[in-house]
Amino acid sequence: MYNIFPHLGFLLRANKGLLQNRDEFHAYIQATFVEHLKTLDKNDQRSFIDAFLVKQQEEKSTTNGYFHNGNLLSLVSNLFTAGVETISTTLNWSFLLMLKYPEIQRKVQEEIEKVIGSNPPRIEHRAKMPYTDAVIHEIQRFANILPLDLPHETAADVTFKGYFIPKGTYIIPLLTSVLQDKSQWEKPDMFYPEHFLDSNGKFVKKDAFMPFSAGRRICAGETLAKMELFLFFTSLLQRFTFHPPPGVSVSDLDLSPAISFNVIPKPYRMCAVIRS
Ligand code: HEM
């Protein structure tokens, strides 16, 4: 509602909480900059913030620079929100799907035992784990956490498939239209890891796998996100088996999403049982 009618924002109570949270979050990030600045060493840059602050000091003499505090705040808060919410939402879906499909969970655990054993998972293991890789890809395809992508704007007049789209048009690219395209997926509405496996059990890439969008503004964290998902998912399934709580059967588990900015599962309870 707020996106569509920003001028009515003052009427929306939820908006107040949102802005308050944003201010608190920004204050936290700004306090972090102050801490970094106190111990900044040009020859020992510890982080993205340090690298930015060094650039800022180099640029001090210019007036119209990019490396000002407002940009640092936007960059760090964008990276933080884009990186945290997406990964936690995808993991949230992954647990629910493992509860719903215990057979699939068991097959992932078998592959973990075979390839990783009890060692800490490393990213190099992924290439030897086609089934787990396929399951993680299918979690992302099925969860479809950003079905409307992020909004874009045409930078020039465009004619696309016979439609004229003038410069400055607000565009919502529907990732759902590819992630659930009937011509691309055998079972578009089902959780089916075989979408990413050939008949020999080898992992196959799919052009229609686009949860990170496409083109020049594709998710800046795609590689990092894929690493994080693999490491978190395998570490957790190496140590735990996830079950529905006593009294809840697999058929009771609801895969329909809750209403939110991104697509999250409805709240659910689960038991994490340590594997011996
Ligand atoms: C499951 C994980 C993730 C998914 C599904 C995801 C998805 C997306 C999507 C769909 C976009 C919009 C692309 C567009 O404008 O068309 C995006 C943008 C972005 N993502 Fe991610 N993302 C994930 C994780 C991350 C992580 C871990 C980071 C970094 C820490 C990150 C940083 C960004 C940034 C900075 C942008 C804006 C890029 C730009 O506008 O040029 N994302 N992401």
Side-chain angles (χ1 to χ4, degrees), residues 3 144-152 170-179 210-215 217-219 261-263:
N3 276 352
N144 184 16
I145 65 167
L146 289 170
L148 308 182
D149 198 352
L150 291 183
H152 284 246
Y170 189 93
I171 304 284
I172 301 176
L174 290 178
L175 294 183
T176 307
S177 68
V178 270
L179 292 175
M210 283 192 189
F212 299 101
S213 187
R217 296 300 291 271
I218 193 171
C219 170
F261 165 70
N262 51 355
V263 172

Side-chain angles (χ1 to χ4, degrees), residues 124-276:
E124 301 84 68
H125 289 128
R126 188 171 52 185
K128 295 183 203 137
M129 298 176 69
Y131 189 75
T132 306
D133 208 6
V135 168
I136 297 173
H137 277 73
E138 181 65 355
I139 290 167
Q140 286 204 265
R141 186 199 69 82
F142 182 86
N144 184 16
I145 65 167
L146 289 170
L148 308 182
D149 198 352
L150 291 183
H152 284 246
E153 182 183 322
T154 43
D157 289 349
V158 181
T159 303
F160 181 67
K161 295 200 171 178
Y163 291 92
F164 175 68
I165 309 169
K167 178 180 173 182
T169 305
Y170 189 93
I171 304 284
I172 301 176
L174 290 178
L175 294 183
T176 307
S177 68
V178 270
L179 292 175
Q180 292 173 8
D181 186 335
K182 290 188 173 55
S183 71
Q184 301 292 317
W185 308 101
E186 199 184 327
K187 300 181 183 181
D189 304 322
M190 289 180 67
F191 183 68
Y192 186 59
E194 286 71 15
H195 281 141
F196 295 93
L197 292 169
D198 68 10
S199 53
N200 299 319
K202 272 179 73 181
F203 180 80
V204 270
K205 275 192 176 172
K206 290 287 174 78
D207 289 343
F209 177 75
M210 283 192 189
F212 299 101
S213 187
R216 289 171 72 177
R217 296 300 291 271
I218 193 171
C219 170
E222 179 183 5
T223 311
L224 175 66
K226 286 180 167 167
M227 288 187 186
E228 286 185 57
L229 289 176
F230 176 78
L231 294 175
F232 287 136
F233 187 66
T234 50
S235 304
L236 286 162
L237 287 191
Q238 186 184 42
R239 290 178 180 76
F240 300 99
T241 298
F242 299 109
H243 296 290
V248 177
S249 73
V250 162
S251 58
D252 295 332
L253 297 170
D254 181 4
L255 294 181
S256 64
I259 295 173
S260 151
F261 165 70
N262 51 355
V263 172
I264 57 169
K266 295 205 177 90
Y268 60 92
R269 290 185 308 131
M270 69 173 188
C271 297
V273 179
I274 293 183
R275 300 179 68 208
S276 47

Side-chain angles (χ1 to χ4, degrees), residues 30-40 46:
Q30 265 158 339
T32 310
F33 299 163
V34 174
E35 281 308 307
H36 275 64
L37 202 53
K38 275 190 209 155
T39 49
L40 187 65
R46 298 154 299 183

